[in-house]
Amino acid sequence: MDDLNRMLAETLHDAAGAAPSEAGLLGSVHDRSRRYRRRRLVTVTAVSAAAAVVVAGIPVVTMLATRPRPDLPPAASRPAVTATPSGPAASPAPAASSRVPNRPSSAPPSAHTSSTAGAVTLSKGWTAPVFPYTLPATDGLSAPVASMDDGDPVAFFEATETRHHADVTVTVSASEPVFTTTAARTPEQVRGHAGTLRTVDVAPAKQLILYWKESSGRWIQVATDDTYTPDQVVALAESMTAAAVAVAPPFDLELSPGGLATTTVTASRMVFRSPAGGEFSTVLRKRQQLAGVNRKVGGRDAVLTRRPGQVTLSVDVPDWDATLQITVGGGLTVSDTDLLRYAEGVHVLNRSDPE
């Protein structure tokens, strides 16, 4: 115990020697307190700066989730804010009440209006072209049904019985017909003109086409099959008389593109063409799934799409399990308003057949 007491006494004596003097003791304590305070401030500042950097990369939703959510006004009344990494600050989007609704435009900008060269002007109704001939009425053939194919009027005479008759198609064109199939050719005299009978050897019946130049700028061809003999085909051609058989359209049109020629009329399509070659077409297609519906036509879903030089309006026609597709292009232009007006006035007829 003596040794222990001696060691304790020496330690206390050494510590007393190293202690500050009484006069400097309070100053030393203050200096140490100031050093601790500076360390705390530096540490807090560094942590805050690091936290700010981290928070800048955290989505706003995460930030809101970590603290009580204040009462906010409805989203519709708050302007949308888009974060911009660099460059000038983006302008806030206008309030919902000031947005322009997405509706057909009747204003006069760009190529969507009737003031532009090549613009389509709608006219009331539609006048059907006519086929200029007919065949004598017989028990073997039905009355002609006229159509148009790329500017050429066509009449179809359906056989009512096939034992002694076959369907007959008569086509009138402005130029000599062009054929791509191989055929035997036989010269024939038709209506006072030199003609040619083509015989195409196919099953189940050979196809016969008699064609000739009827007058300047008019060629005629009569197509049937070998139910008729060559002489009977010539006799059919000889029996044709002048007529005015109206082309039967697939649609009843309340409006039509004024100043454009009707070039194609079939059971599924009507095409109008300008002298410069622009086309305004209306086609009934088998039903398609419409994506991005942005219009209504007579209460039906529709999609209006504009591309450079062309506009297309596709309308759902569920009654026919079909889609009505209207396309304007090739230098022609039409406003959204007029295109929708035209579509509203297209009524599908019973003779239509979606392609």
Side-chain angles (χ1 to χ4, degrees):
M1 293 295 295
D2 291 342
D3 290 340
L4 180 61
N5 289 336
R6 181 175 54 77
M7 292 177 62
L8 178 60
E10 289 178 353
T11 300
L12 292 175
H13 182 270
D14 292 341
S21 64
E22 181 179 354
L25 180 60
L26 182 60
S28 297
V29 171
H30 287 172
D31 289 341
R32 186 174 61 180
S33 298
R34 281 193 294 270
R35 286 197 301 271
Y36 287 165
R37 182 173 181 271
R38 284 197 298 271
R39 289 174 185 173
R40 285 197 302 270
L41 289 175
V42 170
T43 301
V44 170
T45 302
V47 171
S48 299
V53 172
V54 174
V55 168
I58 298 177
V60 175
V61 175
T62 304
M63 295 175 62
L64 294 178
T66 61
R67 58 187 174 87
R69 183 172 182 175
D71 292 333
L72 298 176
S77 65
R78 289 182 284 118
V81 178
T82 303
T84 305
S86 62
S91 301
S97 59
S98 65
R99 295 181 186 271
V100 178
N102 185 16
R103 62 167 62 98
S105 172
S106 58
S110 71
H112 296 185
T113 70
S114 58
S115 62
T116 309
V120 173
T121 301
L122 298 179
S123 302
K124 288 186 177 180
W126 173 73
T127 301
V130 297
F131 184 81
Y133 300 99
T134 191
L135 293 173
T138 67
D139 293 336
L141 295 176
S142 64
V145 176
S147 61
M148 290 197 75
D149 180 17
D150 198 21
D152 297 338
V154 181
F156 176 68
F157 299 82
E158 184 179 11
T160 56
E161 53 85 19
T162 58
R163 184 168 183 174
H164 301 292
H165 298 85
D167 299 337
V168 176
T169 302
V170 183
T171 303
V172 176
S173 61
S175 58
E176 182 176 357
V178 176
F179 304 99
T180 58
T181 56
T182 302
R185 296 162 56 92
T186 305
E188 299 284 354
Q189 194 71 16
V190 188
R191 298 167 65 90
H193 307 285
T196 302
L197 178 66
R198 302 180 79 252
T199 303
V200 182
D201 191 2
V202 293
K206 294 181 180 179
Q207 303 300 303
L208 305 179
I209 300 177
L210 175 65
Y211 68 98
W212 69 96
K213 186 175 183 179
E214 178 74 6
S215 62
S216 176
R218 174 171 291 186
W219 288 75
I220 302 176
Q221 53 179 309
V222 176
T224 185
D225 65 31
D226 64 358
T227 302
Y228 292 97
T229 66
D231 288 343
Q232 289 174 327
V233 175
V234 173
L236 278 173
E238 296 281 2
S239 69
M240 289 194 316
T241 57
V245 181
V247 168
F251 318 116
D252 178 23
L253 301 182
E254 293 182 13
L255 298 169
S256 61
L260 304 186
T262 304
T263 58
T264 298
V265 181
T266 67
S268 61
R269 62 174 55 212
M270 296 179 73
V271 179
F272 305 90
R273 187 175 297 162
S274 71
E279 286 194 349
F280 188 118
S281 69
T282 305
V283 183
L284 190 67
R285 301 187 184 280
K286 289 182 170 60
R287 196 174 190 184
Q288 303 170 354
Q289 185 68 37
L290 298 184
V293 172
N294 56 11
R295 295 292 190 275
K296 288 286 186 180
V297 175
R300 296 170 175 172
D301 289 344
V303 177
L304 192 154
T305 306
R306 284 193 177 274
R307 296 184 178 88
Q310 179 177 293
V311 57
T312 300
L313 178 66
S314 298
V315 184
D316 188 35
V317 189
D319 296 347
W320 279 84
D321 195 26
T323 299
L324 186 70
Q325 189 175 80
I326 303 164
T327 305
V328 181
L332 294 177
T333 60
V334 65
S335 69
D336 291 357
T337 301
D338 280 351
L339 187 58
L340 292 169
R341 284 177 57 221
Y342 172 81
E344 289 270 6
V346 177
H347 305 285
V348 180
L349 300 176
N350 286 335
R351 68 174 301 270
S352 300
D353 184 18
E355 64 180 54

